[in-house]
PDB file of all heavy atoms in Angstrom:
ATOM      1  N   LEU A 136     125.119 109.335  93.892  1.00 91.00           N
ATOM      2  CA  LEU A 136     126.349 110.067  93.622  1.00 91.00           C
ATOM      3  C   LEU A 136     127.276 109.992  94.827  1.00 91.00           C
ATOM      4  O   LEU A 136     126.798 110.111  95.939  1.00 91.00           O
ATOM      5  CB  LEU A 136     126.046 111.548  93.255  1.00 91.00           C
ATOM      6  CG  LEU A 136     125.178 111.773  92.034  1.00 91.00           C
ATOM      7  CD1 LEU A 136     124.924 113.256  91.834  1.00 91.00           C
ATOM      8  CD2 LEU A 136     125.800 111.154  90.760  1.00 91.00           C
ATOM      9  N   ILE A 137     128.547 109.791  94.618  1.00 91.00           N
ATOM     10  CA  ILE A 137     129.496 109.606  95.703  1.00 91.00           C
ATOM     11  C   ILE A 137     130.646 110.634  95.580  1.00 91.00           C
ATOM     12  O   ILE A 137     131.313 110.685  94.508  1.00 91.00           O
ATOM     13  CB  ILE A 137     130.084 108.178  95.675  1.00 91.00           C
ATOM     14  CG1 ILE A 137     128.993 107.135  95.794  1.00 91.00           C
ATOM     15  CG2 ILE A 137     131.090 107.988  96.843  1.00 91.00           C
ATOM     16  CD1 ILE A 137     129.443 105.762  95.559  1.00 91.00           C
ATOM     17  N   GLY A 138     130.906 111.347  96.617  1.00 90.00           N
ATOM     18  CA  GLY A 138     132.008 112.294  96.609  1.00 90.00           C
ATOM     19  C   GLY A 138     132.652 112.409  97.957  1.00 90.00           C
ATOM     20  O   GLY A 138     132.087 112.044  98.998  1.00 90.00           O
ATOM     21  N   LYS A 139     133.918 112.902  97.982  1.00 89.00           N
ATOM     22  CA  LYS A 139     134.658 113.027  99.217  1.00 89.00           C
ATOM     23  C   LYS A 139     134.224 114.227 100.080  1.00 89.00           C
ATOM     24  O   LYS A 139     134.529 114.316 101.252  1.00 89.00           O
ATOM     25  CB  LYS A 139     136.178 113.094  98.949  1.00 89.00           C
ATOM     26  CG  LYS A 139     136.760 111.806  98.405  1.00 89.00           C
ATOM     27  CD  LYS A 139     138.277 111.841  98.345  1.00 89.00           C
ATOM     28  CE  LYS A 139     138.811 112.786  97.256  1.00 89.00           C
ATOM     29  NZ  LYS A 139     138.557 112.271  95.893  1.00 89.00           N
ATOM     30  N   ASN A 140     133.558 115.173  99.417  1.00 87.00           N
ATOM     31  CA  ASN A 140     133.118 116.392 100.117  1.00 87.00           C
ATOM     32  C   ASN A 140     131.913 116.948  99.367  1.00 87.00           C
ATOM     33  O   ASN A 140     131.503 116.487  98.328  1.00 87.00           O
ATOM     34  CB  ASN A 140     134.255 117.413 100.209  1.00 87.00           C
ATOM     35  CG  ASN A 140     134.929 117.645  98.874  1.00 87.00           C
ATOM     36  OD1 ASN A 140     134.253 117.997  97.885  1.00 87.00           O
ATOM     37  ND2 ASN A 140     136.247 117.482  98.815  1.00 87.00           N
ATOM     38  N   GLU A 141     131.391 118.045  99.969  1.00 85.00           N
ATOM     39  CA  GLU A 141     130.201 118.679  99.415  1.00 85.00           C
ATOM     40  C   GLU A 141     130.444 119.294  98.064  1.00 85.00           C
ATOM     41  O   GLU A 141     129.565 119.255  97.162  1.00 85.00           O
ATOM     42  CB  GLU A 141     129.713 119.795 100.398  1.00 85.00           C
ATOM     43  CG  GLU A 141     128.365 120.418  99.956  1.00 85.00           C
ATOM     44  CD  GLU A 141     127.900 121.487 100.930  1.00 85.00           C
ATOM     45  OE1 GLU A 141     128.553 121.659 101.969  1.00 85.00           O
ATOM     46  OE2 GLU A 141     126.899 122.149 100.635  1.00 85.00           O
ATOM     47  N   ILE A 142     131.617 119.766  97.813  1.00 88.00           N
ATOM     48  CA  ILE A 142     131.973 120.413  96.508  1.00 88.00           C
ATOM     49  C   ILE A 142     131.864 119.403  95.415  1.00 88.00           C
ATOM     50  O   ILE A 142     131.331 119.646  94.323  1.00 88.00           O
ATOM     51  CB  ILE A 142     133.374 121.059  96.548  1.00 88.00           C
ATOM     52  CG1 ILE A 142     133.399 122.224  97.555  1.00 88.00           C
ATOM     53  CG2 ILE A 142     133.765 121.552  95.168  1.00 88.00           C
ATOM     54  CD1 ILE A 142     134.743 122.828  97.769  1.00 88.00           C
ATOM     55  N   GLU A 143     132.450 118.200  95.648  1.00 90.00           N
ATOM     56  CA  GLU A 143     132.350 117.145  94.641  1.00 90.00           C
ATOM     57  C   GLU A 143     130.913 116.734  94.336  1.00 90.00           C
ATOM     58  O   GLU A 143     130.566 116.512  93.155  1.00 90.00           O
ATOM     59  CB  GLU A 143     133.176 115.943  95.101  1.00 90.00           C
ATOM     60  CG  GLU A 143     134.671 116.123  95.014  1.00 90.00           C
ATOM     61  CD  GLU A 143     135.445 114.810  95.227  1.00 90.00           C
ATOM     62  OE1 GLU A 143     134.799 113.776  95.399  1.00 90.00           O
ATOM     63  OE2 GLU A 143     136.700 114.867  95.163  1.00 90.00           O
ATOM     64  N   ILE A 144     130.116 116.608  95.392  1.00 89.00           N
ATOM     65  CA  ILE A 144     128.717 116.242  95.184  1.00 89.00           C
ATOM     66  C   ILE A 144     127.979 117.245  94.348  1.00 89.00           C
ATOM     67  O   ILE A 144     127.206 116.925  93.436  1.00 89.00           O
ATOM     68  CB  ILE A 144     128.012 116.000  96.552  1.00 89.00           C
ATOM     69  CG1 ILE A 144     128.622 114.772  97.212  1.00 89.00           C
ATOM     70  CG2 ILE A 144     126.536 115.820  96.324  1.00 89.00           C
ATOM     71  CD1 ILE A 144     128.381 113.478  96.524  1.00 89.00           C
ATOM     72  N   ARG A 145     128.188 118.523  94.644  1.00 89.00           N
ATOM     73  CA  ARG A 145     127.545 119.603  93.880  1.00 89.00           C
ATOM     74  C   ARG A 145     127.984 119.559  92.445  1.00 89.00           C
ATOM     75  O   ARG A 145     127.137 119.717  91.536  1.00 89.00           O
ATOM     76  CB  ARG A 145     127.894 120.941  94.493  1.00 89.00           C
ATOM     77  CG  ARG A 145     127.176 121.204  95.840  1.00 89.00           C
ATOM     78  CD  ARG A 145     127.567 122.552  96.411  1.00 89.00           C
ATOM     79  NE  ARG A 145     126.827 122.828  97.622  1.00 89.00           N
ATOM     80  CZ  ARG A 145     125.620 123.359  97.679  1.00 89.00           C
ATOM     81  NH1 ARG A 145     125.028 123.722  96.524  1.00 89.00           N
ATOM     82  NH2 ARG A 145     124.985 123.550  98.792  1.00 89.00           N
ATOM     83  N   THR A 146     129.242 119.370  92.207  1.00 90.00           N
ATOM     84  CA  THR A 146     129.764 119.279  90.807  1.00 90.00           C
ATOM     85  C   THR A 146     129.171 118.119  90.044  1.00 90.00           C
ATOM     86  O   THR A 146     128.740 118.291  88.882  1.00 90.00           O
ATOM     87  CB  THR A 146     131.287 119.148  90.825  1.00 90.00           C
ATOM     88  OG1 THR A 146     131.903 120.202  91.552  1.00 90.00           O
ATOM     89  CG2 THR A 146     131.880 119.109  89.402  1.00 90.00           C
ATOM     90  N   LEU A 147     129.076 116.966  90.692  1.00 90.00           N
ATOM     91  CA  LEU A 147     128.500 115.795  90.039  1.00 90.00           C
ATOM     92  C   LEU A 147     127.000 115.998  89.753  1.00 90.00           C
ATOM     93  O   LEU A 147     126.533 115.644  88.695  1.00 90.00           O
ATOM     94  CB  LEU A 147     128.671 114.568  90.951  1.00 90.00           C
ATOM     95  CG  LEU A 147     130.072 113.995  91.108  1.00 90.00           C
ATOM     96  CD1 LEU A 147     130.145 112.951  92.202  1.00 90.00           C
ATOM     97  CD2 LEU A 147     130.545 113.426  89.832  1.00 90.00           C
ATOM     98  N   PHE A 148     126.335 116.600  90.715  1.00 90.00           N
ATOM     99  CA  PHE A 148     124.888 116.785  90.525  1.00 90.00           C
ATOM    100  C   PHE A 148     124.593 117.776  89.368  1.00 90.00           C
ATOM    101  O   PHE A 148     123.711 117.507  88.539  1.00 90.00           O
ATOM    102  CB  PHE A 148     124.235 117.318  91.811  1.00 90.00           C
ATOM    103  CG  PHE A 148     122.768 117.559  91.675  1.00 90.00           C
ATOM    104  CD1 PHE A 148     121.887 116.527  91.774  1.00 90.00           C
ATOM    105  CD2 PHE A 148     122.285 118.844  91.400  1.00 90.00           C
ATOM    106  CE1 PHE A 148     120.504 116.725  91.610  1.00 90.00           C
ATOM    107  CE2 PHE A 148     120.907 119.056  91.257  1.00 90.00           C
ATOM    108  CZ  PHE A 148     120.043 118.019  91.357  1.00 90.00           C
ATOM    109  N   VAL A 149     125.362 118.872  89.329  1.00 89.00           N
ATOM    110  CA  VAL A 149     125.145 119.852  88.224  1.00 89.00           C
ATOM    111  C   VAL A 149     125.421 119.203  86.871  1.00 89.00           C
ATOM    112  O   VAL A 149     124.696 119.449  85.924  1.00 89.00           O
ATOM    113  CB  VAL A 149     126.012 121.075  88.460  1.00 89.00           C
ATOM    114  CG1 VAL A 149     126.011 121.988  87.292  1.00 89.00           C
ATOM    115  CG2 VAL A 149     125.576 121.804  89.710  1.00 89.00           C
ATOM    116  N   GLU A 150     126.491 118.392  86.802  1.00 89.00           N
ATOM    117  CA  GLU A 150     126.819 117.705  85.588  1.00 89.00           C
ATOM    118  C   GLU A 150     125.699 116.739  85.172  1.00 89.00           C
ATOM    119  O   GLU A 150     125.277 116.722  83.982  1.00 89.00           O
ATOM    120  CB  GLU A 150     128.134 116.943  85.749  1.00 89.00           C
ATOM    121  CG  GLU A 150     128.558 116.078  84.568  1.00 89.00           C
ATOM    122  CD  GLU A 150     129.036 116.948  83.412  1.00 89.00           C
ATOM    123  OE1 GLU A 150     129.302 118.165  83.615  1.00 89.00           O
ATOM    124  OE2 GLU A 150     129.123 116.427  82.280  1.00 89.00           O
ATOM    125  N   MET A 151     125.159 116.018  86.123  1.00 89.00           N
ATOM    126  CA  MET A 151     124.059 115.078  85.828  1.00 89.00           C
ATOM    127  C   MET A 151     122.847 115.838  85.384  1.00 89.00           C
ATOM    128  O   MET A 151     122.188 115.418  84.389  1.00 89.00           O
ATOM    129  CB  MET A 151     123.777 114.219  87.102  1.00 89.00           C
ATOM    130  CG  MET A 151     122.709 113.171  86.838  1.00 89.00           C
ATOM    131  SD  MET A 151     122.461 112.120  88.265  1.00 89.00           S
ATOM    132  CE  MET A 151     121.753 113.271  89.466  1.00 89.00           C
ATOM    133  N   LYS A 152     122.502 116.910  86.053  1.00 89.00           N
ATOM    134  CA  LYS A 152     121.317 117.669  85.702  1.00 89.00           C
ATOM    135  C   LYS A 152     121.401 118.196  84.301  1.00 89.00           C
ATOM    136  O   LYS A 152     120.454 118.125  83.500  1.00 89.00           O
ATOM    137  CB  LYS A 152     121.149 118.791  86.694  1.00 89.00           C
ATOM    138  CG  LYS A 152     119.868 119.638  86.478  1.00 89.00           C
ATOM    139  CD  LYS A 152     119.726 120.708  87.498  1.00 89.00           C
ATOM    140  CE  LYS A 152     120.710 121.772  87.344  1.00 89.00           C
ATOM    141  NZ  LYS A 152     120.480 122.593  86.119  1.00 89.00           N
ATOM    142  N   ASN A 153     122.562 118.791  83.962  1.00 89.00           N
ATOM    143  CA  ASN A 153     122.728 119.397  82.628  1.00 89.00           C
ATOM    144  C   ASN A 153     122.679 118.375  81.508  1.00 89.00           C
ATOM    145  O   ASN A 153     122.027 118.637  80.476  1.00 89.00           O
ATOM    146  CB  ASN A 153     124.035 120.176  82.570  1.00 89.00           C
ATOM    147  CG  ASN A 153     124.040 121.408  83.495  1.00 89.00           C
ATOM    148  OD1 ASN A 153     122.969 121.901  83.856  1.00 89.00           O
ATOM    149  ND2 ASN A 153     125.210 121.842  83.899  1.00 89.00           N
ATOM    150  N   ILE A 154     123.324 117.240  81.688  1.00 88.00           N
ATOM    151  CA  ILE A 154     123.383 116.222  80.642  1.00 88.00           C
ATOM    152  C   ILE A 154     121.967 115.572  80.527  1.00 88.00           C
ATOM    153  O   ILE A 154     121.463 115.322  79.423  1.00 88.00           O
ATOM    154  CB  ILE A 154     124.405 115.129  80.947  1.00 88.00           C
ATOM    155  CG1 ILE A 154     125.822 115.748  80.942  1.00 88.00           C
ATOM    156  CG2 ILE A 154     124.326 113.990  79.897  1.00 88.00           C
ATOM    157  CD1 ILE A 154     126.238 116.318  79.627  1.00 88.00           C
ATOM    158  N   ALA A 155     121.313 115.325  81.660  1.00 86.00           N
ATOM    159  CA  ALA A 155     120.010 114.724  81.637  1.00 86.00           C
ATOM    160  C   ALA A 155     118.951 115.590  80.939  1.00 86.00           C
ATOM    161  O   ALA A 155     118.102 115.077  80.179  1.00 86.00           O
ATOM    162  CB  ALA A 155     119.529 114.415  83.062  1.00 86.00           C
TER     163      ALA A 155
END
Side-chain angles (χ1 to χ4, degrees):
L136 300 178
I137 303 171
K139 292 190 289 289
N140 50 54
E141 185 179 354
I142 295 175
E143 286 192 0
I144 293 295
R145 287 180 176 274
T146 302
L147 289 170
F148 179 81
V149 171
E150 177 71 14
M151 182 174 68
K152 181 178 73 67
N153 292 338
I154 298 297

